[in-house]
Amino acid sequence: IARYRIPQPRSALAKAVRDHARAAMDVSDGLAGDLTKLLAASGVAASISTAAIPLSTPARLLLERGTVELETLLSGGDDYEILCTIPPSRLTAFTDEAQRAGVPVTAIGTISAGAGPRFVDAQGRDLVLSRLSYSHF
């Protein structure tokens, strides 16, 4: 609730993103929708491992209980995180800088030629989303 009411910007990550990222944006309208926007602007595709996406303890519990679907967590919004693409050759340096800055980072997928996102579950099955992001209208 506190993260929703008083989001904490990841300002400490700014230098690492500037030095290493090829593309970056905030995630506020849902990971799936904001990722789709980033990919379209960059002219690339991505394969995302849903099992690698970090979830808060409350979100994980809701998912495990069946109270909420993964699609809702991926598209719901109010994440207030940074989404960025880091070339494999810079990933270790980026992760090290993020750690020194006290900001946890997680690699959740890979970028490839093509268009749009592909979400894959822990068993390697495609997850087709009917909704990508929170809609303000």
Side-chain angles (χ1 to χ4, degrees):
I1 293 172
R3 288 187 64 197
Y4 172 73
R5 290 185 177 159
I6 307 169
Q8 299 299 310
R10 301 293 191 181
S11 314
L13 195 59
K15 182 182 181 311
V17 170
R18 183 190 68 225
D19 291 347
H20 302 288
R22 292 276 171 94
M25 68 182 295
D26 72 308
V27 178
S28 59
D29 289 336
L31 174 63
D34 287 336
L35 172 64
T36 300
K37 293 172 198 167
L38 183 140
L39 297 174
S42 300
V44 294
S47 179
I48 304 298
S49 169
T50 59
I53 297 170
L55 299 175
S56 67
T57 299
R60 186 167 306 286
L61 289 172
L62 290 171
L63 187 62
E64 289 170 1
R65 292 179 188 153
T67 306
V68 68
E69 297 292 325
L70 183 58
E71 178 174 359
T72 300
L73 298 177
L74 296 176
S75 63
D78 293 317
D79 303 280
Y80 307 115
E81 293 293 348
I82 301 294
L83 174 65
C84 58
T85 62
I86 308 293
S89 63
R90 293 180 177 226
L91 185 57
T92 299
F94 173 76
T95 302
D96 290 347
E97 275 191 53
Q99 186 175 14
R100 284 192 298 276
V103 180
V105 296
T106 305
I108 61 170
T110 56
I111 300 296
S112 61
R118 176 181 179 224
F119 292 91
V120 180
D121 69 14
Q123 290 74 38
R125 297 178 301 227
D126 285 339
L127 175 64
V128 178
L129 304 178
S130 61
R131 147 178 95 116
L132 294 177
S133 66
Y134 176 78
S135 175
H136 293 275
F137 306 100

